[in-house]
Amino acid sequence: MEAVVTNFGMQAAAAEIFLLTAICVILLVDVFLDDSKRWVTYGLTMLTLAGCAFVTVNYAVDARVTAFDGMFIADPMGDVLKLFTYGTVAVSLLYSREYLQRNGLFRGEYFILALVAMLGVMVMVSAGSLLTVYLGVELLSLSLYAMVAFDRDSGVAAESAMKYFVLGAISSGALLYGFSMLYGVAGTLQLDELAVGVREVGASNIGLIFGLAFVIVGIAFKFGAVPFHMWVPDVYHGAPTPVTLFIGSAPKIASFILAIRVLAEGLDAMVASWQNMLIAISIASMIIGNVVAIAQTNLKRMLAYSTISHVGFILLGILAGTNDGYRAAMFYTLTYVIMAVGSFGMILLLSREGFEGDQLEDFKGLARKSPWFAAIMMMLMFSTAGVPPFVGFWAKIAVLGAVVNVGLSWLAAVAVLLSVVGAFYYLRVIKLMYFDEPSDTYNIEAGGTIRAVLSANGVAVLALGIFPSVLLDLCARVLP
Amino acid sequence: MSTITWPILSVLMWLPIAGGVAMILLGDKGIALGRWVALITTAATFGISTLLWTNFDTTTAAMQFVEERTWIPLFNSYYALGVDGFAMPLIVLTAFITPLVVIAGWSVIDKRPAQYYAAFLILEGLMIGVFAALDALLFYVLWEAMLIPMFIIIGIWGGPRRVYATIKFFLYTFLGSVLMLVSLIYMYLQTCDAGQCSYAIADFQRLPLGLNEQLFIFVAFLAAFAVKVPMWPVHTWLPDAHVEAPTGGSVILAAIMLKMGGYGFLRFSLPITPDASDTLDWLVISLSLIGVVYIGFVALVQQDMKKLIAYSSIAHMGFVTLGSFLTFELMRVNSGDTTGAAMGIDGAMVQMISHGLISGAMFFCVGVLYDRVHSREISSYGGVVNTMPIFAAFMVLFGMANSGLPATSGFVGEFLVILASFRADFWYAFLAGLTLILGAAYTLWLVKRVVFGPVANHHVAELTDVNGRELLVLGVLAVAVLGLGLWPAPLLDVMRPTVENLVQQITVSKL
């Protein structure tokens, strides 16, 4: 790829600059609002997201552009991922509003943190150097730690935030240590120069492989892949549901781009080394994720393990080491985000005063109480299980194709067999909703916004499953 | 050339699905109207499917009524539909059985009836799509999607152990098919290497493949289709699913869904991996023979009517796989001569259609009894003929057909397959022929215990004979069973070019 060096870095980073300015403004405005006016912050946040989308579309690039002396990249893939991130954050905030208001969490800081986390994702998406990558990782992680602990009266949330923070700090350390090793050997932090440097030194250089191992640890942790997955179930379970929803969606895009920028762009010459590492991580993730999910009784925990298994699938696409594979992984990530947002949204839909709705039992007999939302959840579950005609199936098939194409048919066979194991616990949710009788008489109390958006979300899973080309072609266009 | 210029296959596929969606929107409140919507939709589908038969060109093996539209350009996958002599009769069978299911459930289903009919209508559309799909990806999507309505049907309207049965059903069939997916992807990538990426089944059939590749692909297909058929030893999901499913579910399962396994062998396994099929035909033949004989004995000892018919289905479907894979043996015996080799496949196809009618009819009969007594135990009955003479006549007729009595459709398929096995190997024929004894034994013994003898208890004494609705369903099926038994020629004519073409195709080694 030819790097076009230009001096208009401001334009390449226009969305980030706009967002940061908006964050400062919202922070200031929020100080002067009392609790009854908090909706202003919420509205401003939504406006900011729309503004970001406008700026990104306005300054969209046709080809890769680098800025700030190579520290910053703008490329079509990045634009698509950013737009998708805005959408995800917007949807997750829409889902969360009622829950936050009900639980006294509807405070300005929540939205500020969410926006800063999003800024972190954007910086990672556009990272052109290892330092920028790290900057993005920390912006995102630190905001997430705070968000997990946001319900400060909740002991469980505090505990999981602590776990997340300690483990996250260690993994960031590992990532940084790996970066420093790469810098020591290749003599550069910039990703495109790193790719050249690795070739000069030789991919089998022991220092590079040593550094790579630490980088992989960092990436696997951010993804929540086995064996660095321990934080995922606890954080998903312990955090307030809106935060779980947030962590389960946009940061997955960040993890994906982290792997792409560092592994596929910076260390592409070392594909043989990281492919083997990722194969092990991916298989382990699919096994642990799918098997342990069966034993869960809490839906948030179950979805946490389900995430782990999906991460295994995303890694399958990345480890193929081909453009096909990256495209498949990107498609998988985007579809996963759509499905995850919907699934956690369902929990928020069910929740009401004094009722979290996050136990599997809470879904009992939902088909009786609300046939429509039971159908939405059914579509989400079948899609997550990878059953056609829902979009999750196409994500699986894209990834499997990439893996078979590089001669790893056995890995594809292992993956599909494990996905059958996974199908079981998604079926159990459907069983509870459709085959069991309701255990209480409460009806869904959620408001119109969440109903409408969640309906659209579920229908999207079906529509994209019947016409997968819409999203597939998009991924193919930005990752040719 | 066919004279139909409008996309008949798309209509056949989407009309029931649209009807199903309409049913969901109507909801249980509008069920009085909804039942008619369901009936009219399925009846219209059947009406349209007869056009398929009457406009079918019986002189060619080429796909007919072909529709093609780009679906997923990135994978070069098409929304491509078309039928040949294998698919067309199965589509007509599907369209024939579904309205009967709707009629049979008319006043019986009172729990969430709208969803019940919607599930069956959507299922019908998907099943027709499976038979009509010319694109492997489209085929796979429909093949898997089909599991969803069936999963719901067994899970909501099934018996006491329905949850266990339906999850077992889903996971078993899902497990079988995922490996097929990997091999489809593999073949797709092979076509890419050959220059033109394609998911078209026809391109897969032309694709040159080494023996090892073929063996892997064959085994993957075997996993998918053997579970579906089902063949011994992966049949254990079927008795559970049948026993727990509501009558309509059992009928669709036995009459149509099982046929997809047999259809898959004919559409995928034989033409795509002819050399592997040749190498491993002993495996399929032995599994089929074990199925026929062993499962026959298992059926003999069943206490539950539905379970007995389920096992009888497995035994009968053994004839389908046996007939399909006898072809290679026949060619070996005749030293490459293909004349006569087609007889096994002919038999397999006739057996599929005939079993679709007979097993469906048998499950309807059980349904009639179950709706009245709410027991599937054979011992709960006895002397039904005394209180339900008309019903007893039908049950005896279908029992006879199930045991392969001449003049019923059950005879034609079994006879052709046994004849073909005689040519191949005496012992095959001997073992296959045992079914005539076993089949007669378990079916007639069932009929004897249920229908004949003195009135067993007060439940039987209080039975009322079939009503008009049930009479219609059983009568239509009886006509079909006798019609096909007395005059199978039209069916054989429709299939002939396709069967001959398949035999030609598999005699050419891909190596």
Side-chain angles (χ1 to χ4, degrees):
Chain A
M1 246 178 269
E2 193 185 338
V4 186
V5 182
T6 55
N7 55 3
F8 56 100
M10 294 301 175
Q11 281 190 17
E16 284 79 0
I17 295 168
F18 170 78
L19 177 59
L20 190 58
T21 320
I23 290 173
C24 297
V25 171
I26 297 173
L27 199 54
L28 278 175
V29 171
D30 188 64
V31 175
F32 297 101
L33 297 171
D34 59 41
D35 270 346
S36 62
K37 297 272 189 332
R38 208 58 74 191
W39 57 270
V40 175
T41 318
Y42 177 74
L44 281 176
T45 309
M46 287 298 173
L47 272 181
T48 306
L49 291 170
C52 283
F54 174 76
V55 173
T56 303
V57 170
N58 206 28
Y59 291 101
V61 289
D62 299 327
R64 193 186 185 90
V65 173
T66 58
F68 300 111
D69 298 322
M71 298 280 278
F72 194 91
I73 302 170
D75 59 1
M77 174 177 70
D79 289 340
V80 169
L81 288 177
K82 281 179 198 171
L83 285 171
F84 216 86
T85 310
Y86 309 149
T88 313
V89 171
V91 170
S92 57
L93 291 181
L94 284 171
Y95 286 162
S96 310
R97 187 179 55 92
E98 288 178 31
Y99 183 98
L100 295 173
Q101 284 172 329
R102 211 169 35 231
N103 291 281
L105 302 176
F106 197 71
R107 296 201 295 267
E109 294 82 358
Y110 186 86
F111 302 103
I112 301 293
L113 285 171
L115 288 178
V116 174
M118 192 178 89
L119 182 64
V121 177
M122 291 162 70
V123 169
M124 284 165 83
V125 167
S126 280
S129 114
L130 294 176
L131 271 184
T132 329
V133 169
Y134 189 72
L135 177 68
V137 168
E138 286 302 278
L139 265 177
L140 171 63
S141 305
L142 288 171
S143 319
L144 291 184
Y145 305 146
M147 281 173 88
V148 173
F150 200 73
D151 186 2
R152 62 180 175 197
D153 299 328
S154 160
V156 191
E159 184 193 328
S160 51
M162 200 63 200
K163 271 185 195 157
Y164 192 17
F165 173 68
V166 171
L167 292 174
I170 293 174
S171 83
S172 294
L175 192 64
L176 201 55
Y177 186 62
F179 286 171
S180 72
M181 297 300 292
L182 297 180
Y183 177 67
V185 178
T188 174
L189 284 169
Q190 212 156 303
L191 288 170
D192 46 355
E193 290 171 13
L194 182 65
V196 179
V198 169
R199 283 193 172 74
E200 279 169 8
V201 184
S204 53
N205 180 294
I206 190 73
L208 281 178
I209 293 179
F210 191 69
L212 174 69
F214 281 94
V215 171
I216 294 280
V217 170
I219 293 175
F221 181 89
K222 297 298 173 199
F223 256 124
V226 176
F228 309 102
H229 66 288
M230 303 300 184
W231 63 274
V232 181
D234 285 340
V235 170
Y236 274 44
H237 185 189
T241 311
V243 179
T244 312
L245 164 63
F246 193 88
I247 295 180
S249 50
K252 294 289 170 263
I253 298 176
S255 311
F256 162 76
I257 199 68
L258 174 65
I260 291 294
R261 293 286 187 228
V262 176
L263 297 182
E265 290 180 9
L267 301 173
D268 60 331
M270 299 180 72
V271 56
S273 304
W274 52 259
Q275 185 176 60
N276 286 332
M277 299 185 199
L278 290 185
I279 288 177
I281 292 178
S282 156
I283 294 181
S285 301
M286 289 186 289
I287 293 177
I288 300 280
N290 280 322
V291 172
V292 182
I294 294 174
Q296 305 307 317
T297 55
N298 180 295
L299 186 61
K300 278 157 84 179
R301 249 187 134 75
M302 189 196 97
L303 288 174
Y305 282 103
S306 139
T307 307
I308 296 172
S309 75
H310 283 285
V311 162
F313 264 95
I314 295 175
L315 290 177
L316 280 185
I318 294 171
L319 68 82
T322 56
N323 251 342
D324 258 358
Y326 304 145
R327 185 192 306 144
M330 177 173 167
F331 180 66
Y332 203 112
T333 311
L334 298 186
T335 22
Y336 173 73
V337 168
I338 296 176
M339 300 184 299
V341 170
S343 311
F344 287 113
M346 277 302 297
I347 301 179
L348 290 171
L349 180 87
L350 288 192
S351 67
R352 56 174 182 268
E353 190 69 49
F355 178 76
E356 285 287 328
D358 63 347
Q359 296 296 320
L360 279 172
E361 295 290 305
D362 298 341
F363 280 78
K364 260 188 161 175
L366 187 63
R368 278 298 172 92
K369 296 189 211 165
S370 169
W372 172 249
F373 285 106
I376 298 278
M377 186 63 174
M378 178 177 76
M379 293 199 280
L380 286 166
M381 287 293 111
F382 273 125
S383 180
T384 324
V387 179
F390 303 107
V391 67
F393 167 72
W394 300 105
K396 289 232 158 69
I397 202 174
V399 166
L400 293 175
V403 173
V404 174
N405 205 10
V406 291
L408 294 170
S409 298
W410 65 270
L411 189 56
V414 171
V416 291
L417 290 177
L418 286 169
S419 78
V420 176
V421 178
F424 173 74
Y425 55 83
Y426 301 116
L427 288 184
R428 195 172 52 185
V429 178
I430 297 165
K431 174 235 163 202
L432 287 167
M433 293 189 303
Y434 276 85
F435 308 161
D436 289 355
E437 295 301 317
S439 50
D440 58 37
T441 52
Y442 288 103
N443 280 319
I444 293 173
E445 293 170 2
T449 323
I450 178 165
R451 282 170 185 261
V453 182
L454 196 56
S455 303
N457 196 331
V459 172
V461 166
L462 176 62
L464 285 173
I466 296 174
F467 303 104
S469 280
V470 180
L471 200 52
L472 269 172
D473 287 350
L474 185 69
C475 294
R477 202 162 63 233
V478 297
L479 257 173
Chain B
M1 278 304 290
S2 72
T3 49
I4 292 181
T5 50
W6 43 285
I8 181 167
L9 289 171
S10 282
V11 172
L12 279 174
M13 177 178 157
W14 291 104
L15 179 67
I17 295 182
V21 174
M23 292 291 301
I24 293 177
L25 296 179
L26 270 173
D28 289 342
K29 292 188 191 81
I31 192 60
L33 174 65
R35 287 204 176 91
W36 286 103
V37 171
L39 181 61
I40 290 168
T41 317
T42 49
T45 311
F46 176 61
I48 295 168
S49 79
T50 55
L51 291 178
L52 213 55
W53 189 296
T54 50
N55 285 279
F56 192 80
D57 182 352
T58 55
T59 58
T60 170
M63 288 294 167
Q64 306 182 34
F65 311 105
V66 175
E67 295 167 35
E68 199 172 72
R69 217 171 274 273
T70 310
W71 184 29
I72 307 169
L74 192 67
F75 295 150
N76 231 325
S77 176
Y78 288 84
Y79 169 78
L81 302 176
V83 289
D84 61 3
F86 292 145
M88 195 276 284
L90 289 167
I91 290 180
V92 176
L93 176 72
T94 311
F96 174 70
I97 294 287
T98 317
L100 299 181
V101 169
V102 171
I103 298 172
W106 200 262
S107 55
V108 181
I109 299 296
D110 46 9
K111 180 181 174 192
R112 296 191 238 174
Q115 293 176 27
Y116 178 83
Y117 289 116
F120 276 105
L121 290 181
I122 292 172
L123 183 60
E124 180 186 14
L126 296 174
M127 290 188 301
I128 290 176
V130 167
F131 290 127
L134 298 183
D135 185 280
L137 208 47
L138 181 64
F139 171 86
Y140 188 84
V141 166
L142 296 167
W143 169 276
E144 290 276 48
M146 206 170 63
L147 297 180
I148 297 174
M150 201 43 156
F151 174 74
I152 301 280
I153 288 169
I154 302 177
I156 296 186
W157 296 279
R161 289 172 69 239
R162 59 187 197 273
V163 173
Y164 168 79
T166 197
I167 290 187
K168 187 172 178 181
F169 156 76
F170 191 97
L171 290 183
Y172 240 101
T173 28
F174 194 49
L175 178 66
S177 8
V178 288
L179 287 176
M180 172 166 79
L181 176 64
V182 176
S183 59
L184 292 179
I185 294 174
Y186 179 83
M187 284 189 282
Y188 163 74
L189 292 167
Q190 293 297 309
T191 60
C192 287
D193 290 348
Q196 177 59 39
C197 291
S198 164
Y199 265 110
I201 298 174
D203 287 336
F204 286 175
Q205 293 178 350
R206 279 193 291 272
L207 186 69
L209 290 166
L211 185 60
N212 277 335
E213 288 170 304
Q214 282 196 33
L215 287 174
F216 275 113
I217 295 171
F218 179 82
V219 170
F221 280 143
L222 184 65
F225 301 140
V227 167
K228 206 78 164 187
V229 165
M231 291 168 78
W232 184 86
V234 287
H235 64 279
T236 58
W237 64 271
L238 186 75
D240 283 316
H242 265 319
V243 167
E244 298 305 325
T247 303
S250 295
V251 170
I252 293 287
L253 199 57
I256 303 157
M257 284 182 105
L258 303 191
K259 306 301 169 289
M260 284 170 183
Y263 173 77
F265 278 120
L266 296 176
R267 176 72 75 228
F268 288 85
S269 300
L270 290 177
I272 292 177
T273 60
D275 304 294
S277 308
D278 196 0
T279 316
L280 288 178
D281 68 339
W282 59 269
L283 176 68
V284 180
I285 290 177
S286 355
L287 292 180
S288 310
L289 286 171
I290 293 174
V292 168
V293 177
Y294 166 73
I295 299 293
F297 279 112
V298 174
L300 212 46
V301 299
Q302 295 307 314
Q303 305 298 318
D304 180 310
M305 289 191 288
K306 270 188 149 181
K307 224 170 195 163
L308 191 148
I309 302 168
Y311 280 111
S312 130
S313 284
I314 304 170
H316 283 101
M317 288 305 287
F319 270 83
V320 174
T321 44
L322 177 64
S324 309
F325 279 83
L326 273 177
T327 320
F328 300 101
E329 197 67 43
L330 286 171
M331 286 188 305
R332 255 175 258 146
V333 171
N334 297 351
S335 52
D337 186 8
T338 56
T339 47
M343 189 185 285
I345 298 179
D346 270 339
M349 267 307 287
V350 176
Q351 175 77 353
M352 282 208 267
I353 302 293
S354 140
H355 178 257
L357 300 170
I358 298 172
S359 66
M362 291 296 282
F363 279 116
F364 275 128
C365 285
V366 176
V368 168
L369 289 177
Y370 183 80
D371 290 340
R372 288 168 171 70
V373 181
H374 295 284
S375 166
R376 296 180 311 255
E377 293 294 315
I378 297 173
S379 55
S380 309
Y381 298 90
V384 169
V385 69
N386 298 304
T387 43
M388 304 175 74
I390 305 176
F391 169 77
F394 279 115
M395 180 112 179
V396 170
L397 169 68
F398 295 129
M400 293 294 180
N402 200 41
S403 31
L405 194 77
T408 63
S409 64
F411 171 73
V412 185
E414 289 183 12
F415 181 71
L416 281 171
V417 173
I418 293 177
L419 211 58
S421 19
F422 250 116
R423 292 197 182 162
D425 189 315
F426 169 76
W427 289 106
Y428 292 172
F430 174 79
L431 289 170
L434 276 182
T435 197
L436 293 175
I437 303 168
L438 284 170
Y442 58 70
T443 319
L444 296 183
W445 194 28
L446 167 76
V447 172
K448 183 221 153 229
R449 283 179 290 174
V450 172
V451 175
F452 298 121
V455 174
N457 52 42
H458 70 280
H459 287 298
V460 176
E462 290 159 9
L463 285 175
T464 49
D465 210 338
V466 285
N467 56 29
R469 181 174 54 78
E470 292 159 342
L471 188 65
L472 175 68
V473 171
L474 296 176
V476 167
L477 280 166
V479 170
V481 166
L482 287 173
L484 192 58
L486 290 169
W487 199 39
L491 178 60
L492 289 167
D493 287 343
V494 162
M495 301 175 336
R496 183 158 300 122
T498 314
V499 173
E500 279 165 6
N501 179 52
L502 176 64
V503 172
Q504 285 304 324
Q505 230 174 341
I506 59 182
T507 45
V508 182
S509 166
K510 279 188 167 185
L511 300 178

